[in-house]
Amino acid sequence: MSLISVKKSPITPLLTKSFSRRAVIMLLSVATLLLAGCGEEPNPPAKQVVEEQPSRFSKDKLAYRHTYHPEWPKEVRNEVYGDKETFSTPRILFKTNIEWTGQTTLFSARMDLSDRRRIIPETAFEDKWMVGLHKPVRSPDNRYIALSMDTTEHGFTRELWDTKTQQFIFMSKGHGYAHFNWTKDSENVIFYASGKHYNYHVPTKTLTERPIIYSNGLFLLPDGKTFLADKKNKYWLHDFNGDVIEKVDLGFNNHFTMKYLEVSPFGDYIYFLSEGLGAAQNYWINLSDPNKRIISPRKADTYFFSDKKNKVLTKSKRKSTELLGNGWAFNNYYFIELDLVTRQTKEIPIKESNIWGMTGIFIYDVFNIKDEQ
């Protein structure tokens, strides 16, 4: 296409002093459009990038329940290191994901699951993922969380999340179950990696190898000096350096496995789910007298130890008679608290169920237990 010459163009006579300034501007605009039509098409204007923000209400239909609980926040709360109010009570450590992110991360909450707070922002998991079946363990001072990670750069790793600096701290590479343990001063985290046993000293960022204690799960007892080692159907006690103190045979045969074994925060019971002999059952063994044991059929989720001595909790649910805003019924979630001494149970309503589209949670542990309750 050839350009139009203003001198030879039929519109030249119109360009007189009497012609309005506005008309000239209009003609120049037309000429610009004609020029734009020649050769390659101009680049379209750059699109304005707007970061998509989550809706104040989850898209999940269950989130209509917010209308019945105006005290629930619509924005996600974050845990703040050292916040006195947050850490004024014992808290539950659990993993879940917020509906609009789809990324699983760690949260904490009060013992009724109210005051839910995100511990690690989803953006921190760039090129790394939590190994969800490995239990994260929080330091006694609540600052650090030890985690197993699957990373693009190093493969499987052991790392710390520093809740104060909001950063990961690399400790070591390594596969296999970690079984993290913290010393009472929060300065040392002890763990397995690739068949070896390690101690990471947090203040100096120093990793040293320890004498290995072979186990299916290792637990540093509250005295800070004794390890309890899971030996499939029995347990052994070791001193801090790994030497055997006592071997405790619980009388189970070789087909029996103590699955998901945990030690109470007060060091008085172990809990596990039986595997290998018939239907799974819940077991609690009194460590002061291993012949004292409580056995109950598995009817719901596994149990976890409460912040109160001799108390354990499990999650349950039932259909509510109250309907959602869309006419649907929803589940009422609650904890069943079992007293291991009296064998009595009671229900504790769970608060903030389904908040932020958080429809499923996996509870790891209870932390921030200051005194025996």
Side-chain angles (χ1 to χ4, degrees), residues 104 115 149 166 174 211 238 290 308 368:
T104 299
D115 189 42
M149 305 293 291
Q166 294 286 289
H238 297 254
K308 299 179 176 63
N368 198 42

Side-chain angles (χ1 to χ4, degrees), residues 52-237:
E52 184 178 351
Q53 297 293 332
S55 168
R56 287 176 61 85
F57 289 90
S58 165
K59 297 175 184 178
D60 193 309
K61 292 180 179 178
L62 291 174
Y64 281 112
R65 197 174 176 191
H66 277 305
T67 60
Y68 302 115
H69 297 270
E71 74 275 14
W72 291 2
K74 304 304 185 292
E75 287 79 29
V76 178
R77 293 168 296 212
N78 290 313
E79 188 185 280
V80 178
Y81 170 75
D83 179 68
K84 291 183 179 180
E85 183 178 355
T86 301
F87 294 97
S88 63
T89 63
R91 295 182 72 84
I92 292 173
L93 179 69
F94 65 95
K95 71 173 181 178
T96 188
N97 68 279
I98 300 167
E99 179 190 73
W100 56 79
T101 67
Q103 170 67 56
T104 299
T105 188
L106 291 179
F107 282 76
S108 73
R110 295 188 183 123
M111 292 302 298
D112 60 1
L113 285 181
S114 64
D115 189 42
R116 300 185 185 193
R117 292 182 178 269
R118 177 172 48 196
I119 300 172
I120 307 178
E122 290 83 357
T123 53
F125 292 102
E126 184 177 356
D127 296 327
K128 61 177 63 183
W129 305 266
M130 285 194 305
V131 180
L133 294 178
H134 291 200
K135 178 183 174 182
V137 181
R138 195 152 192 168
S139 59
D141 65 2
N142 294 322
R143 176 171 176 176
Y144 300 98
I145 302 174
L147 306 106
S148 289
M149 305 293 291
D150 184 2
T151 70
T152 301
E153 182 179 1
H154 299 294
F156 291 106
T157 61
R158 311 302 191 218
E159 303 193 31
L160 297 178
W161 174 255
D162 187 340
T163 62
K164 183 177 182 179
T165 65
Q166 294 286 289
Q167 292 179 331
F168 281 108
I169 300 171
F170 175 85
M171 294 190 292
S172 79
K173 297 181 182 181
H175 55 79
Y177 280 91
H179 299 298
F180 296 109
N181 284 284
W182 284 92
T183 54
K184 297 173 74 172
D185 57 10
S186 299
E187 291 191 355
N188 300 277
V189 57
I190 299 165
F191 57 89
Y192 295 101
S194 299
K196 295 183 179 181
H197 210 200
Y198 293 98
N199 185 104
Y200 183 82
H201 186 244
V202 179
T204 61
K205 294 182 169 56
T206 304
L207 182 71
T208 55
E209 189 174 347
R210 290 174 47 85
I212 192 166
I213 300 174
Y214 294 101
S215 73
N216 295 320
L218 191 68
F219 304 87
L220 184 60
L221 298 181
D223 64 6
K225 302 175 181 178
T226 309
F227 286 103
L228 185 148
D230 176 1
K231 296 288 187 176
K232 185 178 180 293
N233 52 22
K234 57 180 70 73
Y235 66 85
W236 293 6
L237 298 176

